[in-house]
């Protein structure tokens, strides 16, 4: 009975820009810390958001969503009021220099896939959210063999792969331009 | 940040909006399917110029993590966060209003026990945000921030104050129509969305580049709440209904049932 569609084929509502004034509403204390910095295996995932002229974007908001280190899908609440069961979700606003930072763990990967963190991008001036993936360079063979990455044009693939640095991983987002980040559309999304 | 004063007038922007609208009509006549989402590259909204991707979005099949969504619960959201009129030790000024509706996916399935967040200007058109320079009064009893979890039918309900329109610097004498920002999660991460809801009859809608970036008239009307006298309460608050349809999920109905 629950298989009956109640109101079939409804059209999704349009998105709109997050605007300039989300800063006192959406970011929450600890939102960018999926694990405490002292957590075993804690890594920093950080980078800068830039526009089509390479200017940092100080008014953007990033969300990440990821599996736990063992690959399990998080089902715990507490992303808005951290108590540190691993919720898998984080939210960080960019600072005045367009930089963001999360503290998290490297997610486990599905067999035959490279591990990635799902990311959503919001900004003033960006009329709808953008989806992307942050692939982590922990296993070169997995990156080479990942079927999704293999389908991304070779010259753009690097925009989806973070680079390791002394603190963890760096992932820069370029909203526009020659080295524009690959953004994603999923089946059932519409123009 | 540019310090150049905006020189375009509302008439200039109106002409650009009309041109974009005419180009869309031509697209439709050429047989293109109606658009349901805003254009990302929409010149009348000046800040979009350098902040929209120029390359096509890359088609991806969602993987396991993208087929589920973060879980929020009563640890995250207190029940009284859905009432923006009782938050700061006194009553805010303005038209008390209920905004309610359902969050469903494109197949009409309710999005249950999921997070809805809102933020808005006060009745005078002023945000609490430190970056808001509009010389209108801050209401000491109104933050304009609310949250709730949907119920088992996907229902949400906020009690708030009707927001005022406010000026912005897109062009000379630019004003945003009254709106409430909404942030919504679905049952999958692919359904994540942020939008704005507007109010019927607002004369600023026709002039607003952000609203008009949704070039399809029927699509943009989906962001206008409906006055609903059944939501209006006797001697207390006016009521507006706005149902939120998210994109379709990728789960089969059977999987959804197993999950329930
Ligand atoms: Fe706003």
């Amino acid at each position: 009975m629950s298989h009956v569609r109640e109101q079939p084929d409804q059209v999704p509502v349009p998105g709109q820009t997050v605007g300039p004034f989300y800063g006192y509403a959406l970011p929450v204390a600890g939102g960018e810390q999926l694990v405490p910095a002292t957590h075993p295996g804690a890594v920093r995932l950080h980078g800068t958001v830039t526009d089509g002229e390479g200017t940092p974007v100080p008014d953007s908001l990033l969300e990440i969503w990821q599996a736990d280190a063992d690959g399990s899908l998080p089902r715990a609440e507490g992303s808005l009021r951290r108590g540190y069961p691993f919720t898998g979700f984080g939210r960080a606003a960019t600072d005045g220099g367009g930089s963001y930072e999360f503290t998290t763990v490297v997610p486990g990967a599905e067999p035959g896939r490279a591990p990635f963190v799902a990311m959503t991008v919001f900004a003033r001036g960006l009329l709808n959210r953008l989806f992307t993936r942050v692939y982590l360079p922990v296993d070169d063979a997995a990156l080479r063999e990942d079927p999704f990455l293999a389908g991304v044009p070779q010259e753009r693939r690097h925009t989806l792969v973070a680079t390791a640095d002394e603190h963890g991983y760096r992932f820069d987002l370029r909203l526009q331009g020659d080295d524009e980040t690959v953004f994603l559309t999923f089946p059932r999304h519409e123009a | 940040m540019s310090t150049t004063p905006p020189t375009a007038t509302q008439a200039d922007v109106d002409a650009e909006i009309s041109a974009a609208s005419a180009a869309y009509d031509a697209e439709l006549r050429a047989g293109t399917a109606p658009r349901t989402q805003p254009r990302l590259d929409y010149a009348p909204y000046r800040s979009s110029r350098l902040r929209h991707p120029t390359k096509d979005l890359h088609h991806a099949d969602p993987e396991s993590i993208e087929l589920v969504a973060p879980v929020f619960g009563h640890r995250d959201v207190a029940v009284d966060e859905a009432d923006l009129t009782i938050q700061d030790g006194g009553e805010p000024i303005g038209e008390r209003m209920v905004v309610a509706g359902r969050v469903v996916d494109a197949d009409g399935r309710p999005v249950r026990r999921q997070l809805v967040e809102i933020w808005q200007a006060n009745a005078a058109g002023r945000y609490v945000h430190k970056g808001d320079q509009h010389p209108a009064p801050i209401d000491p009893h109104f933050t304009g921030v609310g949250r709730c979890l949907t119920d088992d039918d996907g229902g949400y309900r906020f009690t708030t104050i009707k927001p005022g329109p406010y000026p912005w610097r897109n062009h000379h004498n630019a004003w945003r129509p009254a709106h409430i920002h909404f942030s919504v999660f679905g049952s999958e991460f692919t359904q994540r969305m942020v939008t704005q809801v507007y109010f019927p009859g607002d004369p600023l809608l026709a002039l607003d580049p952000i609203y008009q970036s949704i070039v399809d008239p029927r699509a943009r009307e989906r962001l206008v709440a409906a006055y609903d006298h059944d939501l209006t309460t006797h001697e207390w608050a006016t009521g507006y209904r706005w149902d939120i349809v998210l994109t379709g999920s990728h789960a089969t109905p059977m999987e959804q049932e197993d999950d329930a």
Side-chain angles (χ1 to χ4, degrees):
Chain A
M1 200 175 72
S2 61
H3 293 185
V4 175
R5 291 177 169 192
E6 297 172 35
Q7 296 155 288
D9 302 326
Q10 302 198 81
V11 182
V13 298
Q16 291 269 263
T17 179
V18 74
F21 298 135
Y22 58 84
Y24 74 101
L26 294 181
V28 292
E32 73 292 350
Q33 288 215 310
L34 286 77
V35 296
T38 53
H39 184 86
V43 293
R44 184 168 169 240
L45 171 63
H46 68 110
T48 303
V49 183
T50 50
D51 71 11
E53 290 179 342
T55 304
V57 176
D59 39 17
S60 67
L61 181 79
L62 305 179
E63 291 180 347
I64 61 171
W65 170 232
Q66 62 166 93
D68 205 343
D70 63 3
S72 58
L73 304 179
R75 305 312 294 151
E77 60 185 73
S79 295
L80 299 186
R81 297 201 172 95
R82 296 282 189 205
Y84 293 116
F86 185 74
T87 68
F89 177 77
R91 181 181 272 175
T94 51
D95 64 19
S99 296
Y100 73 90
E101 176 174 335
F102 291 100
T103 305
T104 188
V105 294
V106 174
E110 294 179 64
R113 307 277 169 153
F116 72 87
V117 170
M119 180 179 271
T120 318
V121 184
F122 306 92
R124 183 180 68 83
L126 179 60
L127 279 158
N128 210 349
R129 80 277 177 269
L130 294 171
F131 293 97
T132 189
R133 290 178 181 170
V134 183
Y135 281 88
L136 298 170
V138 290
D139 179 347
D140 288 345
L143 282 177
R144 272 196 309 275
E145 289 155 24
D146 185 85
F148 168 75
L149 284 175
V152 177
Q154 199 266 327
E155 70 279 9
R156 301 192 65 202
R157 206 173 294 156
H158 70 98
T159 71
L160 294 173
V161 184
T163 53
D165 69 11
E166 71 264 41
H167 303 293
Y169 298 97
R170 180 177 183 98
F171 184 79
D172 292 327
L173 280 148
R174 287 164 293 266
L175 296 178
Q176 190 185 88
D178 289 341
D179 214 18
E180 185 175 302
T181 301
V182 171
F183 297 106
L184 307 180
T185 181
F186 295 103
R188 309 206 66 187
H189 281 189
E190 295 170 70
Chain B
M1 195 174 288
S2 171
T3 52
T4 315
T7 49
T9 64
Q10 182 67 50
D12 295 333
V13 170
D14 288 348
E16 293 178 41
I17 289 173
S18 297
S21 178
Y24 176 64
D25 289 344
E27 230 180 75
L28 286 181
R29 281 196 304 276
T32 307
R35 287 175 177 264
T36 61
Q37 295 293 319
R39 285 190 191 277
L40 299 181
D41 175 11
Y42 192 69
Y45 178 31
R46 302 298 188 230
S47 314
S48 74
R49 187 174 67 89
L50 292 170
R51 294 185 174 190
H52 68 273
T54 53
K55 298 177 169 54
D56 288 342
L57 301 181
H58 188 85
H59 286 270
D61 287 321
E63 299 196 13
S64 305
I65 188 69
E66 291 157 332
L67 291 171
V68 289
V71 175
F72 298 94
H74 292 294
R75 174 182 185 87
D76 297 294
V77 184
V79 171
D80 63 7
E81 289 184 77
D83 188 343
L84 287 74
T85 66
I86 58 168
Q87 289 175 347
D88 279 282
E91 290 228 65
I93 300 291
E95 177 185 337
R96 194 184 296 114
M97 179 182 76
V98 167
V99 182
R102 290 175 76 217
V103 184
V104 300
D105 70 16
D107 301 312
R109 292 186 285 224
V111 175
R112 300 188 170 104
R113 297 178 293 280
Q114 192 46 290
L115 178 65
V116 180
E117 296 163 279
I118 65 171
W119 68 103
Q120 63 167 92
N122 67 21
R126 179 78 187 259
Y127 285 88
V128 171
H129 193 279
K130 60 185 183 315
D132 186 353
Q133 301 295 311
H134 179 34
I138 286 176
D139 186 331
H141 302 310
F142 191 72
T143 64
V145 176
R147 294 190 186 99
C148 75
L149 297 171
T150 57
D151 64 22
D152 283 346
D153 192 38
Y156 76 87
R157 181 188 180 95
F158 291 103
T159 302
T160 184
I161 293 294
K162 191 165 187 188
Y166 60 84
W168 61 313
R169 293 176 177 173
N170 189 68
H171 53 276
H172 181 70
N173 202 18
W175 287 78
R176 295 295 328 279
H179 60 273
I180 300 176
H181 297 266
F182 268 74
S183 159
V184 187
F185 289 77
S187 51
E188 292 183 3
F189 201 63
T190 65
Q191 296 171 306
R192 179 81 180 97
M193 69 110 53
V194 164
T195 192
Q196 304 180 24
V197 67
Y198 303 92
F199 297 94
D202 192 328
L204 293 169
L205 288 171
L207 312 183
D208 180 42
I210 292 179
Y211 179 69
Q212 296 291 332
S213 71
I214 308 156
V215 291
D216 187 275
R218 284 179 60 204
R220 59 181 180 254
E221 282 160 18
R222 294 188 182 107
L223 294 185
V224 181
Y227 174 74
D228 185 342
H229 202 67
D230 290 334
L231 280 172
T232 294
T233 47
H234 181 67
E235 295 184 356
W236 188 248
T238 55
Y240 289 84
R241 168 166 274 275
W242 183 54
D243 291 324
I244 305 169
V245 182
L246 303 181
T247 57
S249 84
H250 301 84
T252 64
M254 195 61 87
E255 285 171 326
Q256 290 246 328
E257 188 162 323
D258 289 348
D259 195 40

